[in-house]
Amino acid sequence: HGDRAMTALAYDVIIIGAGIVGAACADECARHGMRVALIDRDGVGGGATAAGMGHLVVMDDSDAQFALTRYSQLLWQQLRTDLPTEVEYEQCGTIWVAADDEEMAEVFLKQAYYERAGVPTAVLDRSALERLEPNLRKGLAGGLLVPEDGVLYPPCAAQFLLERALGAEAKLHLGSVKEAGHGRVRLSDGQEFVAASIVNAAGAWAPEITSGFVVKKRKGHLAITDRSPGFVRHQLVELGYLKSAHSLTDDSVAFNVQPRRTGQILIGSSRQYEAEHAEVDDRILVRMLRRAQQYMPELAAKSIIRV
């Protein structure tokens, strides 16, 4: 029995990785009448999808990133009426917080860029920021409100997209991909799939499947508090976030908090490269929480229930 070759399963498209991106690809392809195979080693919504903050944010590091993130945001807005409550979609908006006059100058540059591209924004002065987010420390210079940014719970969003894909006849196969390319995918158990198109949606593991992909693994931490409704009203990100996010060598932290529909607060964020293990790094976590408390001192009184 072990020597008999398995018959290759034929599809129009094979998608590797059942995170939020792979599930979205499967949903779109299946609903356009394609025969879809979705392959994942663990099932839907593991990896970064299970660990991510779920911030639907327009980012302006480059024109390409801006175009992609704005397009993504508009797709979620179209989908919002179809989303079940457990996806926790909320259009809470993002405030990019400026600590001083130098960062306030960045706010005006950011606003001009967003405005040219038709993304609504509002510049907040010191008093407007204090009114919208009274638990921020006093004396911050202001910020930029991007009201169409939102948040959701990624694992449930991925599950929703997968269920729609399965309803449109997509097939989910569990297994570890051994090799992929030239219209063929082989799993470690020997099962083979053939298709005209292969989509590599394996995230941080994409280079192990497709050589030449320049994807660096990046580790981050997230702390989740007990319920405290209304303490944070918008996704809050320090304007210094982008400066720290782009260091490819140093471990870094930045103030980044998110309100959830449950009343809980998600506290981020940290970045580490060359950190392959999933264990919590207490040294980084302490730095991250201290950074958050510099912006919201009363966070110190909140109970963290999960990291």
PDB file of all heavy atoms in Angstrom, residues 147-162:
ATOM      1  N   PRO A 147     -10.464  58.543  10.315  1.00  0.00           N
ATOM      2  CA  PRO A 147     -11.695  57.955  10.850  1.00  0.00           C
ATOM      3  C   PRO A 147     -12.133  56.648  10.180  1.00  0.00           C
ATOM      4  O   PRO A 147     -12.912  55.898  10.769  1.00  0.00           O
ATOM      5  CB  PRO A 147     -12.743  59.055  10.638  1.00  0.00           C
ATOM      6  CG  PRO A 147     -12.176  59.951   9.601  1.00  0.00           C
ATOM      7  CD  PRO A 147     -10.701  59.875   9.731  1.00  0.00           C
ATOM      8  N   GLU A 148     -11.654  56.365   8.964  1.00  0.00           N
ATOM      9  CA  GLU A 148     -12.112  55.153   8.283  1.00  0.00           C
ATOM     10  C   GLU A 148     -11.281  53.921   8.624  1.00  0.00           C
ATOM     11  O   GLU A 148     -11.600  52.817   8.175  1.00  0.00           O
ATOM     12  CB  GLU A 148     -12.173  55.378   6.770  1.00  0.00           C
ATOM     13  CG  GLU A 148     -13.267  56.351   6.377  1.00  0.00           C
ATOM     14  CD  GLU A 148     -13.523  56.421   4.886  1.00  0.00           C
ATOM     15  OE1 GLU A 148     -12.919  55.637   4.134  1.00  0.00           O
ATOM     16  OE2 GLU A 148     -14.345  57.261   4.484  1.00  0.00           O
ATOM     17  N   ASP A 149     -10.204  54.089   9.389  1.00  0.00           N
ATOM     18  CA  ASP A 149      -9.464  52.919   9.870  1.00  0.00           C
ATOM     19  C   ASP A 149     -10.358  52.129  10.827  1.00  0.00           C
ATOM     20  O   ASP A 149     -11.249  52.684  11.466  1.00  0.00           O
ATOM     21  CB  ASP A 149      -8.186  53.341  10.613  1.00  0.00           C
ATOM     22  CG  ASP A 149      -7.064  53.745   9.660  1.00  0.00           C
ATOM     23  OD1 ASP A 149      -7.242  53.633   8.442  1.00  0.00           O
ATOM     24  OD2 ASP A 149      -6.003  54.170  10.167  1.00  0.00           O
ATOM     25  N   GLY A 150     -10.087  50.833  10.940  1.00  0.00           N
ATOM     26  CA  GLY A 150     -10.918  50.005  11.809  1.00  0.00           C
ATOM     27  C   GLY A 150     -10.133  48.894  12.463  1.00  0.00           C
ATOM     28  O   GLY A 150      -8.909  48.811  12.336  1.00  0.00           O
ATOM     29  N   VAL A 151     -10.852  48.046  13.184  1.00  0.00           N
ATOM     30  CA  VAL A 151     -10.256  46.877  13.831  1.00  0.00           C
ATOM     31  C   VAL A 151     -11.203  45.690  13.640  1.00  0.00           C
ATOM     32  O   VAL A 151     -12.401  45.863  13.431  1.00  0.00           O
ATOM     33  CB  VAL A 151      -9.997  47.099  15.343  1.00  0.00           C
ATOM     34  CG1 VAL A 151      -9.075  48.287  15.572  1.00  0.00           C
ATOM     35  CG2 VAL A 151     -11.304  47.295  16.111  1.00  0.00           C
ATOM     36  N   LEU A 152     -10.640  44.505  13.681  1.00  0.00           N
ATOM     37  CA  LEU A 152     -11.447  43.286  13.710  1.00  0.00           C
ATOM     38  C   LEU A 152     -10.655  42.189  14.406  1.00  0.00           C
ATOM     39  O   LEU A 152      -9.483  42.370  14.738  1.00  0.00           O
ATOM     40  CB  LEU A 152     -11.895  42.853  12.305  1.00  0.00           C
ATOM     41  CG  LEU A 152     -10.884  42.701  11.174  1.00  0.00           C
ATOM     42  CD1 LEU A 152      -9.938  41.537  11.377  1.00  0.00           C
ATOM     43  CD2 LEU A 152     -11.626  42.522   9.840  1.00  0.00           C
ATOM     44  N   TYR A 153     -11.336  41.049  14.628  1.00  0.00           N
ATOM     45  CA  TYR A 153     -10.688  39.910  15.283  1.00  0.00           C
ATOM     46  C   TYR A 153     -10.272  38.930  14.187  1.00  0.00           C
ATOM     47  O   TYR A 153     -11.126  38.233  13.615  1.00  0.00           O
ATOM     48  CB  TYR A 153     -11.637  39.273  16.288  1.00  0.00           C
ATOM     49  CG  TYR A 153     -11.006  38.149  17.084  1.00  0.00           C
ATOM     50  CD1 TYR A 153      -9.792  38.344  17.736  1.00  0.00           C
ATOM     51  CD2 TYR A 153     -11.615  36.896  17.181  1.00  0.00           C
ATOM     52  CE1 TYR A 153      -9.203  37.326  18.451  1.00  0.00           C
ATOM     53  CE2 TYR A 153     -11.032  35.876  17.905  1.00  0.00           C
ATOM     54  CZ  TYR A 153      -9.821  36.092  18.535  1.00  0.00           C
ATOM     55  OH  TYR A 153      -9.226  35.082  19.245  1.00  0.00           O
ATOM     56  N   PRO A 154      -8.974  38.870  13.853  1.00  0.00           N
ATOM     57  CA  PRO A 154      -8.539  38.157  12.649  1.00  0.00           C
ATOM     58  C   PRO A 154      -8.901  36.665  12.582  1.00  0.00           C
ATOM     59  O   PRO A 154      -9.306  36.201  11.512  1.00  0.00           O
ATOM     60  CB  PRO A 154      -7.017  38.373  12.631  1.00  0.00           C
ATOM     61  CG  PRO A 154      -6.800  39.606  13.423  1.00  0.00           C
ATOM     62  CD  PRO A 154      -7.854  39.595  14.498  1.00  0.00           C
ATOM     63  N   PRO A 155      -8.773  35.880  13.671  1.00  0.00           N
ATOM     64  CA  PRO A 155      -9.101  34.453  13.513  1.00  0.00           C
ATOM     65  C   PRO A 155     -10.546  34.215  13.079  1.00  0.00           C
ATOM     66  O   PRO A 155     -10.808  33.354  12.229  1.00  0.00           O
ATOM     67  CB  PRO A 155      -8.832  33.868  14.911  1.00  0.00           C
ATOM     68  CG  PRO A 155      -7.863  34.801  15.545  1.00  0.00           C
ATOM     69  CD  PRO A 155      -8.234  36.156  15.027  1.00  0.00           C
ATOM     70  N   CYS A 156     -11.475  34.986  13.633  1.00  0.00           N
ATOM     71  CA  CYS A 156     -12.883  34.821  13.254  1.00  0.00           C
ATOM     72  C   CYS A 156     -13.153  35.357  11.853  1.00  0.00           C
ATOM     73  O   CYS A 156     -13.995  34.822  11.126  1.00  0.00           O
ATOM     74  CB  CYS A 156     -13.801  35.497  14.270  1.00  0.00           C
ATOM     75  SG  CYS A 156     -13.904  34.580  15.826  1.00  0.00           S
ATOM     76  N   ALA A 157     -12.427  36.404  11.458  1.00  0.00           N
ATOM     77  CA  ALA A 157     -12.559  36.917  10.092  1.00  0.00           C
ATOM     78  C   ALA A 157     -12.076  35.869   9.093  1.00  0.00           C
ATOM     79  O   ALA A 157     -12.710  35.642   8.058  1.00  0.00           O
ATOM     80  CB  ALA A 157     -11.767  38.211   9.933  1.00  0.00           C
ATOM     81  N   ALA A 158     -10.962  35.207   9.409  1.00  0.00           N
ATOM     82  CA  ALA A 158     -10.443  34.150   8.533  1.00  0.00           C
ATOM     83  C   ALA A 158     -11.425  32.986   8.449  1.00  0.00           C
ATOM     84  O   ALA A 158     -11.659  32.421   7.374  1.00  0.00           O
ATOM     85  CB  ALA A 158      -9.080  33.675   9.029  1.00  0.00           C
ATOM     86  N   GLN A 159     -12.024  32.639   9.592  1.00  0.00           N
ATOM     87  CA  GLN A 159     -13.008  31.547   9.633  1.00  0.00           C
ATOM     88  C   GLN A 159     -14.222  31.889   8.767  1.00  0.00           C
ATOM     89  O   GLN A 159     -14.727  31.051   8.014  1.00  0.00           O
ATOM     90  CB  GLN A 159     -13.448  31.297  11.076  1.00  0.00           C
ATOM     91  CG  GLN A 159     -14.388  30.108  11.253  1.00  0.00           C
ATOM     92  CD  GLN A 159     -13.716  28.768  10.996  1.00  0.00           C
ATOM     93  OE1 GLN A 159     -12.584  28.540  11.410  1.00  0.00           O
ATOM     94  NE2 GLN A 159     -14.402  27.886  10.287  1.00  0.00           N
ATOM     95  N   PHE A 160     -14.684  33.136   8.840  1.00  0.00           N
ATOM     96  CA  PHE A 160     -15.821  33.587   8.027  1.00  0.00           C
ATOM     97  C   PHE A 160     -15.500  33.452   6.535  1.00  0.00           C
ATOM     98  O   PHE A 160     -16.307  32.936   5.751  1.00  0.00           O
ATOM     99  CB  PHE A 160     -16.160  35.037   8.382  1.00  0.00           C
ATOM    100  CG  PHE A 160     -17.016  35.729   7.358  1.00  0.00           C
ATOM    101  CD1 PHE A 160     -18.375  35.452   7.260  1.00  0.00           C
ATOM    102  CD2 PHE A 160     -16.463  36.649   6.482  1.00  0.00           C
ATOM    103  CE1 PHE A 160     -19.168  36.092   6.309  1.00  0.00           C
ATOM    104  CE2 PHE A 160     -17.242  37.283   5.524  1.00  0.00           C
ATOM    105  CZ  PHE A 160     -18.595  37.000   5.438  1.00  0.00           C
ATOM    106  N   LEU A 161     -14.313  33.915   6.135  1.00  0.00           N
ATOM    107  CA  LEU A 161     -13.919  33.846   4.723  1.00  0.00           C
ATOM    108  C   LEU A 161     -13.777  32.395   4.264  1.00  0.00           C
ATOM    109  O   LEU A 161     -14.185  32.033   3.160  1.00  0.00           O
ATOM    110  CB  LEU A 161     -12.606  34.605   4.512  1.00  0.00           C
ATOM    111  CG  LEU A 161     -12.703  36.126   4.696  1.00  0.00           C
ATOM    112  CD1 LEU A 161     -11.316  36.743   4.830  1.00  0.00           C
ATOM    113  CD2 LEU A 161     -13.460  36.770   3.544  1.00  0.00           C
ATOM    114  N   LEU A 162     -13.214  31.547   5.148  1.00  0.00           N
ATOM    115  CA  LEU A 162     -13.069  30.131   4.807  1.00  0.00           C
ATOM    116  C   LEU A 162     -14.441  29.479   4.612  1.00  0.00           C
ATOM    117  O   LEU A 162     -14.648  28.732   3.643  1.00  0.00           O
ATOM    118  CB  LEU A 162     -12.297  29.393   5.898  1.00  0.00           C
ATOM    119  CG  LEU A 162     -12.230  27.873   5.706  1.00  0.00           C
ATOM    120  CD1 LEU A 162     -11.318  27.526   4.533  1.00  0.00           C
ATOM    121  CD2 LEU A 162     -11.765  27.176   6.960  1.00  0.00           C
TER     122      LEU A 162
END
